Amino acid sequence: MTQAAGQGSAQVRDPGLQPERTRLAWRRTTLSCTVAAVLAARAVLHDGATAFGVLACALCLLLWLGFLAVAHRRMVTLTAPRPRTMSLRAARAAALCTVALAVCAVVMLI
């Protein structure tokens, strides 16, 4: 007697290296956001503190903290044997923080 293909695979899951690759991707993105926030702070300190510069820097740091919280929560979730999928709310928050941080960086360069 042989088992039909796919019957036994429902109980056993071998994620391979996919969770590790996903954690590494989150770490790289967090590092990129950290560099953008540090460069924003450096630009404000180096060029002189104007009201606009301080506001843009504060916004960059706030967005960085938001992304850091979402990324940390996701990386911790990925350590579980059967990690849950990312919620739509967390995905939107990560995307919003990333895009807004990029926009702030562009605005600070102008």
Side-chain angles (χ1 to χ4, degrees), residues 2-24:
T2 61
Q3 255 185 340
Q7 280 182 342
S9 64
Q11 283 89 22
V12 179
R13 177 180 181 267
D14 181 19
L17 294 176
Q18 187 272 330
E20 180 65 23
R21 287 192 307 267
T22 304
R23 275 192 302 277
L24 289 172

Side-chain angles (χ1 to χ4, degrees), residues 4-64:
Q7 280 182 342
S9 64
Q11 283 89 22
V12 179
R13 177 180 181 267
D14 181 19
L17 294 176
Q18 187 272 330
E20 180 65 23
R21 287 192 307 267
T22 304
R23 275 192 302 277
L24 289 172
W26 276 103
R27 287 182 182 149
R28 282 190 307 269
T29 308
T30 302
L31 180 61
S32 299
C33 289
T34 302
V35 168
V38 167
L39 289 176
R42 181 182 177 269
V44 168
L45 294 174
H46 183 66
D47 296 339
T50 63
F52 176 74
V54 171
L55 181 63
C57 181
L59 183 60
C60 283
L61 293 176
L62 184 65
L63 290 166
W64 172 71

